[in-house]
Amino acid sequence: MNFIEGRRVVTEGELQANSIMRYQVTKFYREQITNSGYYEQLKYIVEPSFEEFESPGNLDTSGEQDNTVVPGFQHKYAQTGLLLVTDRCASYCRYCLRKRMVGKDSDEIAADFAQIAQYISSHPEMTNVLLTGGDPFVLSTAKLDEILDHLLPIQHLESIRFGTKTLAYAPKRFEDPVLPALFQRIHDAGKAAVIVTHFDHIGEISVNAERYIRSLRAQGVQFLNQTVLLAKVNDDPEILAATFARCHQMGVRPYYLFQARPVRGASHFQVSLRRGIEIARGINQRLSGIQKTFKYIMSHCTGKIEILDLGADGRVYMRYHQNKIPEKIGKIFCRPHVEGAHWLDDLPEG
């Protein structure tokens, strides 16, 4: 198998034992990153590395299986349902948080949408559903329409979100002439249609992607962007500030900057919390007030934690942006800082 560092003979058993996910990258993305001027950084997103064999961690860092209420449907936070519609993507990110299932034939994917709709209907506190996977836009528009058949009649749902990196990997998917009608259905049902793009680096934003985003925005689709902070790829405030400024210019609101998770086979992408806080501060120093819409987030099994600062008292200050326990949302808390800490669990309580 070809790795960034060279060729290596590996057995199927060795790949499985080390949770090495499949290799797949679109021709479009390969050409985009090659011509971007940032290939030496962006290759780490899709090209396998020997470091994957040495990266400890687990395969469910956010407790997704504990929050699965119906096969393929998670309900961790009161207002939000997470619907796993596919286990496939156009290309596979080496840092994938769901490498336990993505690129495989997984039994974690939603099969009975009627059952899921019944669950949502019985939970009026749920105001939005996120379609994810995998990437929902590897499915046909007809299949997405079938899923909407079950979701759109539910009155208390106010928005339908689609999490996707296809705008980076294969933007021509958005040329589909029947796609505008899908988003129109959502509008006609009185709900917001939201696409959460996944641009990790300004070098991933192609001319094609920008064109399709502007076209869909003109049709009333809202756009947010999430980015993962990745060692060797984008751990540079200059690059991330430029990425977020470009997103803002296209009408895509920078939403989350995620601390990379301690996923088995991918934890080498993590930067230290100290460095992450420095980077977040550096990004904010380079952006105007209206561009500073991102939160630096750690998606922990207990909830989404906004990482605020490393204080002069040697403590890391954080706030629960989301939590399973509503009373904890918005609460600021802190833990003693430890050099080299990458995750909440690396910080001692006290």
Side-chain angles (χ1 to χ4, degrees):
M1 184 171 168
N2 288 321
F3 292 84
I4 286 172
E5 300 85 353
R7 287 180 68 80
R8 176 167 169 175
V9 177
V10 288
T11 65
E12 187 66 37
E14 196 179 358
L15 293 175
Q16 289 178 3
N18 290 280
S19 303
I20 309 296
M21 71 187 304
R22 64 185 290 187
Y23 169 72
Q24 180 173 305
V25 57
T26 60
K27 183 184 177 196
F28 176 89
Y29 187 75
R30 188 189 301 282
E31 290 176 355
Q32 171 67 23
I33 66 175
T34 300
N35 298 327
S36 69
Y38 297 106
Y39 178 74
E40 288 307 311
Q41 292 81 39
L42 291 170
K43 66 184 179 184
Y44 290 101
I45 289 181
V46 288
E47 300 292 338
S49 166
F50 289 167
E51 289 185 276
E52 296 180 29
F53 291 92
E54 316 298 333
S55 286
N58 66 65
L59 295 175
D60 187 6
T61 58
S62 299
E64 292 197 322
Q65 288 171 322
D66 293 340
N67 294 293
T68 297
V69 289
V70 177
F73 190 75
Q74 299 170 27
H75 190 195
K76 185 174 184 179
Y77 309 124
Q79 298 87 354
T80 302
L82 192 146
L83 182 54
L84 298 175
V85 296
T86 179
D87 47 27
R88 300 301 154 116
C89 295
S91 301
Y92 293 107
C93 308
R94 306 314 298 178
Y95 56 84
C96 182
L97 73 107
R98 296 198 183 102
K99 59 158 55 187
R100 68 182 188 275
M101 52 165 274
V102 169
K104 304 173 182 176
D105 294 318
S106 172
D107 58 5
E108 292 188 54
I109 296 307
D112 190 339
F113 292 103
Q115 184 187 14
I116 289 166
Q118 188 175 10
Y119 177 88
I120 298 169
S121 297
S122 66
H123 288 268
E125 74 278 12
M126 194 183 299
T127 59
N128 74 102
V129 169
L130 168 62
L131 275 63
T132 183
D135 192 313
F137 287 105
V138 302
L139 299 178
S140 69
T141 303
K143 180 62 180 176
L144 293 174
D145 263 318
E146 279 179 38
I147 296 168
L148 290 182
D149 288 343
H150 296 279
L151 299 179
L152 294 184
I154 302 172
Q155 289 295 312
H156 56 84
L157 283 183
E158 296 167 3
S159 63
I160 308 292
R161 275 188 284 166
F162 300 84
T164 183
K165 200 171 169 76
T166 299
L167 276 154
Y169 284 149
K172 275 188 176 289
R173 167 68 180 92
F174 293 86
E175 274 185 0
D176 183 356
V178 296
L179 204 51
L182 176 125
F183 295 116
Q184 189 62 48
R185 282 189 70 199
I186 298 172
H187 293 312
D188 291 346
K191 307 180 195 309
V194 183
I195 292 178
V196 184
T197 60
H198 186 165
F199 294 116
D200 291 316
H201 193 291
I202 192 169
E204 293 185 310
I205 304 174
S206 65
V207 172
N208 282 357
E210 180 170 358
R211 185 167 70 249
Y212 300 132
I213 287 168
R214 289 188 181 277
S215 173
L216 288 167
R217 282 189 63 235
Q219 296 161 35
V221 179
Q222 298 177 35
F223 279 86
L224 307 171
N225 184 67
Q226 58 186 19
T227 294
V228 183
L229 180 56
L230 300 165
K232 297 184 181 177
V233 177
N234 62 9
D235 50 344
D236 177 343
E238 194 85 41
I239 287 293
L240 286 174
T243 305
F244 294 168
R246 180 77 184 282
C247 284
H248 175 82
Q249 186 183 7
M250 296 188 297
V252 179
R253 182 165 70 85
Y255 175 45
Y256 288 144
L257 174 64
F258 279 114
Q259 176 71 357
R261 308 176 199 222
V263 178
R264 179 173 166 79
S267 56
H268 59 282
F269 282 104
Q270 290 186 295
V271 302
S272 70
L273 290 173
R274 177 189 287 278
R275 179 64 183 140
I277 289 165
E278 289 172 355
I279 289 169
R281 189 182 298 132
I283 297 167
N284 279 319
Q285 288 167 356
R286 290 167 168 82
L287 296 177
S288 69
I290 56 172
Q291 294 170 324
K292 290 187 229 191
T293 54
F294 76 95
K295 294 185 186 303
Y296 177 30
I297 290 284
M298 177 167 22
S299 199
H300 191 256
C301 59
T302 57
K304 278 196 173 73
I305 299 168
E306 185 179 1
I307 304 164
L308 299 172
D309 205 357
L310 176 55
D313 56 0
R315 301 178 74 85
V316 180
Y317 285 81
M318 297 164 278
R319 172 170 53 207
Y320 272 109
H321 179 61
Q322 284 283 33
N323 194 289
K324 285 198 279 187
I325 303 166
E327 291 73 29
K328 288 191 175 183
I329 296 172
K331 294 278 187 181
I332 291 177
F333 66 102
C334 62
R335 288 194 179 183
H337 178 249
V338 176
E339 284 302 332
H342 296 83
W343 200 245
L344 181 68
D345 303 350
D346 301 333
L347 304 174
E349 294 189 41

